[in-house]
Amino acid sequence: MTPPATALTTTAGLAPYDAVLLFSFGGPNGPDDVLPFLRNVTAGKGIPDERLAEVAEHYHHFGGRSPINEQNLALQAALRSELDRRGLDVPVVWGNRNWEPYTRDALAELHAAGAQRAVALVTSAYSSYSGCRQYRENLWSSLDALSVQVGAPEGTHLVDVDKCRSYFNHPGFVQANTDAVVEAYAGFDADAAWPRLVFVTHSIPETMEEASVVAGASYREQHLDVARSVAAAASERLGREVEWDLAYCSRSGPPSQPWLEPDVNDHLEALSAAGTTSVVLAPIGFVSDHMEVAFDLDTEALETAAELGMTAVRADSVGVREPFVRGLVDLLLERAAIARADDAGEPRPAQETVGALPPFRSICAPGCCRQRAGVDSGLPAACSEDPWS
């Protein structure tokens, strides 16, 4: 694994960018927010409130409040600290697709502060419709809404916003996940049966998986690449080979719609039947311990393991671990260097990666990451060579 740069900073700083947008999913802040939040998440899908009420119980299990908002605030503060450490004095604002503060609120804050060109960090490391294009569609519609809000001409975008590439194979993300896995193994007796490592990510429909390959490798292939890198690095540090699998959680579609499998609970049952007595669950598909981790892993999966008589330890997500935060700022600087090169018509700089896959694009290809391969959503998406395809 190539080690990440420890203090990547240039004399040009983040130019041409004068602001950073931390761009996330959002979550309810209390019980009264839960159903409206879920309506936002599922808008246009025709899901009745009765079905949403079932999902809402996941949030009510934790008092109706998602942990994601505090985690985003912590990440915003950590980014601010790392930027300050490197002498990079730009505002960092936070906006969400699905709840307050909304993306349009963050953009309005940037516009009011005089920002003209911002760079966005999405709190999703992987490329798929739900992890990339849906954010870019929301960004476009939010820029349109800002123009209406301030009375600008129709179609005018008052802040230019670029995005950093999907960073699943960036050294900082891989190192932070490796550190978390190694720490999770520390509680096990090295002379006893070695736990199996189960990487976990959010499942998506198979149609979305098929469409995601336009980005350069499919959603599943991206995760397998990270898993191989983390497992190899962890094995080297632990001095013992770690056997691993990839499983999924948080399926929400109808039974008739195929989603990526195996579900983590089904996989635990299969491992137990094969004689596995202990596991480490590593949430490599998530950047923080939000609801899918808190409920699907810390509640359901750990309960399944206990019922099976398995010892299960959950590794941390990358959260605000130093390698991850440092890596995000490296990504901001990398994106700024790419923008400067493009503006000057010069060759782009090299980009750091770990694993077998190349760096993904920061300006997405036409037709990238649709919900279904070859099917146009009819919604424009920002940060693309062709926003309408």
Side-chain angles (χ1 to χ4, degrees):
M1 182 175 70
T2 303
T6 57
L8 178 59
T9 307
T10 71
T11 54
L14 283 176
Y17 302 118
D18 52 15
V20 174
L21 170 64
L22 180 61
F23 195 7
S24 195
F25 188 83
N29 287 310
D32 293 342
D33 296 342
V34 175
L35 195 55
F37 161 75
L38 291 173
R39 289 178 183 140
N40 286 345
V41 173
T42 60
K45 297 181 180 178
I47 300 177
D49 279 359
E50 294 77 15
R51 170 60 183 138
L52 296 182
E54 297 175 19
V55 180
E57 288 305 311
H58 296 186
Y59 291 89
H60 292 308
H61 185 82
F62 296 92
R65 185 178 181 87
S66 171
I68 195 172
N69 296 321
E70 286 84 357
Q71 290 161 9
N72 279 325
L73 285 169
L75 182 55
Q76 182 184 25
L79 286 169
R80 173 76 275 147
S81 178
E82 178 65 12
L83 287 164
D84 288 344
R85 188 181 72 82
R86 303 198 202 187
L88 299 168
D89 185 18
V90 295
V92 181
V93 301
W94 162 43
N96 297 316
R97 267 174 37 200
N98 299 300
W99 202 246
E100 301 169 351
Y102 289 105
T103 316
R104 63 177 179 270
D105 301 324
L107 293 171
E109 181 181 347
L110 288 177
H111 176 62
Q116 296 184 328
R117 190 172 182 184
V119 57
L121 274 172
V122 178
T123 58
S124 172
Y126 299 86
S127 189
S128 70
Y129 175 74
S130 57
C132 179
R133 187 183 179 94
Q134 198 168 14
Y135 282 96
R136 296 188 294 108
E137 291 176 349
N138 177 255
L139 179 57
W140 186 283
S141 65
S142 298
L143 287 164
D144 282 349
L146 174 62
S147 297
V148 172
Q149 179 180 321
V150 303
E154 183 178 355
T156 301
H157 286 175
L158 299 173
V159 182
D160 289 329
V161 184
D162 296 332
K163 75 172 185 71
C164 291
R165 61 179 162 107
S166 297
Y167 47 82
F168 65 93
N169 59 351
H170 188 272
F173 183 70
V174 173
Q175 182 183 337
N177 273 294
T178 301
D179 292 345
V181 166
V182 170
E183 290 168 14
Y185 272 86
F188 289 93
D189 184 351
D191 296 326
W194 204 230
R196 193 171 188 90
L197 178 57
V198 179
F199 293 107
V200 187
T201 189
H202 203 302
S203 186
I204 61 172
E206 289 185 2
T207 51
M208 193 181 296
E209 157 73 6
E210 179 186 358
S212 68
V213 75
V214 176
S218 77
Y219 177 80
R220 180 176 181 271
E221 290 167 343
Q222 295 164 44
H223 282 81
L224 290 172
D225 192 56
V226 175
R228 281 188 287 268
S229 296
V230 171
S235 295
E236 182 176 354
R237 287 172 55 180
L238 291 165
R240 187 169 176 178
E241 189 70 21
V242 173
E243 296 184 346
W244 60 273
D245 311 288
L246 176 64
Y248 301 88
C249 68
S250 308
R251 178 202 165 101
S252 59
S256 59
Q257 183 182 40
W259 283 52
L260 294 181
E261 295 179 338
D263 174 78
V264 63
N265 298 285
D266 295 338
H267 189 59
L268 290 174
E269 291 178 1
L271 288 177
S272 178
T276 299
T277 58
S278 58
V279 295
V280 168
L281 301 173
I284 60 165
F286 308 95
V287 302
S288 68
D289 292 355
H290 51 68
M291 188 56 65
E292 283 81 356
V293 177
F295 186 83
D296 294 33
L297 296 187
D298 291 349
T299 304
E300 288 192 330
L302 292 185
E303 286 178 357
T304 296
E307 291 168 1
L308 294 168
M310 300 176 75
T311 301
V313 172
R314 205 264 291 168
D316 290 341
S317 55
V318 293
V320 292
R321 286 174 174 266
E322 191 272 339
F324 178 55
V325 175
R326 185 183 66 224
L328 290 180
V329 174
D330 287 347
L331 278 162
L332 292 171
L333 289 160
E334 172 194 281
R335 185 65 186 90
I338 289 172
R340 290 193 298 271
D342 287 351
D343 291 348
E346 298 174 351
R348 289 181 169 184
Q351 298 170 268
E352 283 194 292
T353 60
V354 175
L357 295 176
F360 272 34
R361 298 164 59 113
S362 49
I363 301 174
C364 294
C368 189
C369 289
R370 291 167 165 165
Q371 283 186 287
R372 297 172 183 82
V375 178
D376 190 349
S377 68
L379 299 173
C383 309
S384 175
E385 290 180 351
D386 180 7
W388 291 93
S389 74

